[in-house]
Amino acid sequence: MADRYLLAIESSCDETSVAVLKNETELLSNIIASQVESHKRFGGVVPEVASRHHVEVITTCIEDALREAGIEADQLEAVAVTYGPGLVGALLVGMAAAKAFAWAHGLPLIPVNHMAGHLMAAREVKELTYPLMALLVSGGHTELVYVTEPGNYHIVGETRDDAVGEAYDKVGRVMGLTYPAGREIDELAHKGQDVYDFPRAMIKEDNLEFSFSGLKSAFINLHHNAEQKGEELVLEDLCASFQAAVLDILLAKTKKALEKYPVETLVVAGGVAANQGLRERLAEELTDVDLIIPPLRLCGDNAGMIALAAAVERDKEHFADLSLNAKPSLAFDVFDN
Ligand code: KG4
Ligand code: ZN
């Protein structure tokens, strides 16, 4: 059979990214233009700034992705694009580019859910077997997703308040670290001890829900009280204590999900899946399951993961026409527990 090629575009937050996928899982290119330098001084992503940056670089990213892949537009079979969840203005830039490209070259569009992209990045590691459980941890989401077959995603548990990456970034700001703070906190945590005893919300409750706002508040209170009293806090210990609480929660709920939904495969994906502490704990404690975590380059936002999810949709002939709209709050189906 002839080789099949897909172009994929991702612009849901602060990365403009375009990838070319060959057949099912071979990424020929995955260009990522990060805007993080522009958002750092604001301590978070500024939506208007994000949209403007996407507009500036999207065309070059498409050209670079095709050039690096050594592929001409007329060899492509379809154009995949993230249509949600994400920032509406940011999504619209990628979608306008995808639609224009699809129209100009007579190609079908494949709409992709950003979180399905994070999850399906695991396809690059090895062939997935179904049903599987996924723990998705990013800046905007924290959810347990039961995947019954390729492309069929069901949320079985999620956060009631903050996402885990968001909590990392917020406590990072309190400690004066630069945005996004997850990676630095992870590094500092490895040099400290869990001495501050932060709360592990809902850890004993028999459900698959997460909550990180209480942990965030406890952290902020400790920090402010120490500041007022002129007490010194040890940065490495603060990071180690915060990370220990986060990991205890993530591990406890993931174990519960695996009890409730016995599966052979666990995928852990999203920006926070880059966390070394999380990777160590998962490998140590979840030895009965085939643990698949995408490589670091596919954990943060990128179009390669969108292409890997799109190949599944292509095989199901899930195409869209040019009336496709952005869905900023796009969600997976929810399974009743
Ligand atoms: O998936 P992602 O790139 O963007 C969203 O879709 O949200 O995730 C970004 C998040 C940020 O909150 C960042 O602080 C966090 O992932 N992150 C980490 C690590 N690397 C990135 N969190 C903890 N440990 C890390 N090593
Ligand atoms: Zn993401």
Side-chain angles (χ1 to χ4, degrees):
M1 213 169 94
D3 288 324
R4 311 172 77 179
Y5 300 98
L6 277 180
L7 183 85
I9 299 180
E10 153 68 36
S11 70
S12 66
C13 191
D14 58 347
E15 255 87 34
T16 321
S17 182
V18 183
V20 175
L21 180 77
K22 180 178 175 184
N23 299 327
E24 284 296 325
T25 56
E26 197 185 330
L27 284 171
L28 299 181
S29 61
N30 191 10
I31 305 294
I32 305 171
S34 174
Q35 315 171 352
V36 73
E37 286 304 320
S38 304
H39 298 287
K40 257 180 186 167
R41 65 197 157 111
F42 302 110
V45 177
V46 184
E48 181 66 15
V49 174
S51 308
R52 283 165 192 258
H53 275 292
H54 287 309
V55 170
E56 280 166 21
V57 300
I58 187 79
T59 313
T60 328
C61 286
I62 295 174
E63 287 165 5
D64 288 353
L66 287 169
R67 189 179 319 113
E68 198 178 302
I71 292 297
E72 302 289 337
D74 63 6
Q75 291 175 269
L76 295 167
E77 191 180 9
V79 183
V81 65
T82 305
Y83 74 119
L87 302 167
V88 65
L91 288 165
L92 284 171
V93 177
M95 292 184 64
K99 285 183 192 178
F101 192 95
W103 183 77
H105 299 284
L107 297 169
L109 271 180
I110 304 177
V112 178
N113 179 316
H114 179 80
M115 297 312 291
H118 275 303
L119 204 165
M120 285 292 148
R123 296 182 70 229
E124 213 229 17
V125 181
K126 67 191 237 192
E127 197 174 334
L128 304 179
T129 55
Y130 300 88
L132 61 81
M133 183 58 66
L135 171 68
L136 301 185
V137 277
S138 73
H141 294 80
T142 302
E143 51 202 23
L144 284 158
V145 182
Y146 185 50
V147 188
T148 47
E149 59 171 276
N152 260 346
Y153 312 101
H154 305 278
I155 293 186
V156 293
E158 61 187 326
T159 182
R160 290 185 179 172
D161 38 61
D162 294 352
V164 62
E166 191 181 351
Y168 268 95
D169 296 337
K170 281 184 184 160
V171 303
R173 183 140 81 166
V174 174
M175 290 185 282
L177 306 179
T178 38
Y179 169 87
R183 189 167 154 196
E184 197 175 354
I185 293 176
D186 188 18
E187 285 165 7
L188 290 164
H190 280 83
K191 299 177 189 150
Q193 300 294 325
D194 175 13
V195 294
Y196 292 115
D197 198 24
F198 288 124
R200 275 92 164 134
M202 302 203 299
I203 202 166
K204 297 219 164 67
E205 284 176 34
D206 188 27
N207 62 32
L208 302 177
E209 311 267 291
F210 301 88
S211 168
F212 294 102
S213 71
L215 170 60
K216 180 189 67 188
S217 305
F219 188 100
I220 293 171
N221 288 341
L222 176 81
H223 203 269
H224 284 175
N225 288 341
E227 242 173 17
Q228 278 177 348
K229 292 184 195 150
E231 285 170 11
E232 280 280 324
L233 294 169
V234 182
L235 185 64
E236 290 81 0
D237 290 346
L238 270 179
C239 293
S241 305
F242 171 77
Q243 180 144 306
V246 168
L247 299 188
D248 279 352
I249 299 169
L250 293 179
L251 265 292
K253 296 296 178 170
T254 304
K255 284 178 190 168
K256 248 181 207 129
L258 291 171
E259 276 165 27
K260 227 167 175 162
Y261 298 88
V263 290
E264 282 167 18
T265 303
L266 173 70
V267 170
V268 180
V272 183
N275 188 281
Q276 291 304 324
L278 176 61
R279 286 170 176 249
E280 288 156 19
R281 290 272 309 261
L282 289 163
E284 267 165 37
E285 296 178 37
L286 296 175
T287 46
D288 291 345
V289 72
D290 189 11
L291 175 64
I292 308 180
I293 310 179
L296 292 184
R297 69 192 153 78
L298 295 182
C299 279
D301 290 347
N302 68 91
M305 69 185 198
I306 301 305
L308 289 157
V312 170
E313 302 303 325
R314 172 195 61 196
D315 296 345
K316 294 186 160 197
E317 297 187 15
H318 285 170
F319 299 118
D321 61 30
L322 296 179
S323 66
L324 180 70
N325 217 335
K327 295 223 165 86
S329 311
L330 180 67
F332 290 137
D333 288 346
V334 178
F335 253 20
D336 283 336
N337 285 298

